[in-house]
């Protein structure tokens, strides 16, 4: 009986050494790969957070025109972003040229000091005659927490 228990103990010892060597091999080979993958994942998550933070600081302005009737319409600037927009200005050759075909009713609206997220500011316009360009280009300029003097161009449909 002593011989059998010695053989069993010997083979148990050999198996434990083999399993320990196998675990060490697995830890050395795959542990490095897992650490590299974890580093890449952490870098990716850090970049995503930085992008989210920068998106939270951006205001996204959209400008569009609504034509009512008889040469009267409205130009609206809406903040579709997450951050507030400050110092909003709009520019277009359509109402800044001499003898413009479009006359803004209240020029005191722009530059506007502040448009909160989800809010908008409107100004009425009157058509004087028939404009040569039915869809003039308008540019909206603004400042936000992300950057100053950002701009976006839009084509306005001022005539039905």
């Amino acid at each position: 009986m002593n011989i059998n228990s010695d053989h069993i103990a010997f083979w148990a010892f050999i198996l434990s050494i083999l399993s320990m060597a196998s675990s060490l091999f697995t830890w050395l080979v795959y542990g490095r790969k897992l650490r590299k993958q974890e580093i890449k994942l952490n870098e990716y998550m850090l970049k995503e957070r930085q992008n989210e933070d920068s998106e939270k600081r951006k205001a996204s302005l959209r400008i569009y025109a609504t034509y009512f009737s008889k040469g009267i319409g409205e130009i609206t600037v809406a903040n579709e972003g997450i951050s507030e927009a400050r110092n909003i200005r709009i520019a277009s050759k359509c109402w800044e040229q001499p003898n413009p075909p479009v006359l803004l009713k209240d020029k005191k609206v722009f530059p506007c000091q502040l448009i909160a997220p989800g809010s908008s500011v409107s100004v009425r316009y009157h058509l004087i005659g028939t404009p040569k360009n039915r869809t003039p280009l308008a540019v909206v300029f603004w400042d936000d927490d992300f950057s100053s003097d950002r701009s976006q161009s839009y084509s306005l449909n001022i005539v039905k």
Side-chain angles (χ1 to χ4, degrees), residues 63-130:
I63 184 170
Y64 56 92
T66 306
Y67 183 77
F68 297 130
S69 66
K70 297 182 182 177
I72 298 173
E74 187 173 72
I75 295 175
T76 304
V77 177
N79 185 356
E80 297 175 346
I82 306 172
S83 179
E84 61 185 23
R86 296 178 298 278
N87 193 19
I88 301 96
R89 294 128 11 238
I90 57 174
S92 177
K93 291 180 182 177
C94 188
W95 56 76
E96 293 174 353
Q97 65 187 356
N99 299 323
V102 174
L103 182 65
L104 296 181
K105 186 174 181 182
D106 188 8
K107 292 186 179 182
K108 295 178 183 178
V109 173
F110 293 101
C112 179
Q113 295 301 317
L114 180 75
I115 299 179
S119 299
S120 62
V121 174
S122 300
V123 63
R124 293 269 174 128
Y125 69 86
H126 296 279
L127 291 177
I128 301 170
T130 305

Side-chain angles (χ1 to χ4, degrees), residues 12-24:
F13 178 72
I14 296 294
L15 282 175
S16 66
I17 289 177
L18 286 175
S19 66
M20 195 165 37
S22 155
S23 297
L24 182 65

Side-chain angles (χ1 to χ4, degrees), residues 36-51:
K36 287 179 183 177
Q37 186 178 18
E38 185 179 2
I39 289 170
K40 286 182 181 178
L41 184 61
N42 287 342
E43 288 173 355
Y44 175 76
M45 289 175 62
L46 184 62
K47 286 180 185 176
E48 283 296 313
R49 281 201 179 144
Q50 288 172 346
N51 287 342

Side-chain angles (χ1 to χ4, degrees), residues 137-150:
L137 187 67
V139 182
V140 60
F141 300 94
W142 73 94
D143 302 334
D144 56 17
D145 294 336
F146 180 73
S147 177
S148 61
D149 216 23
R150 295 182 62 207

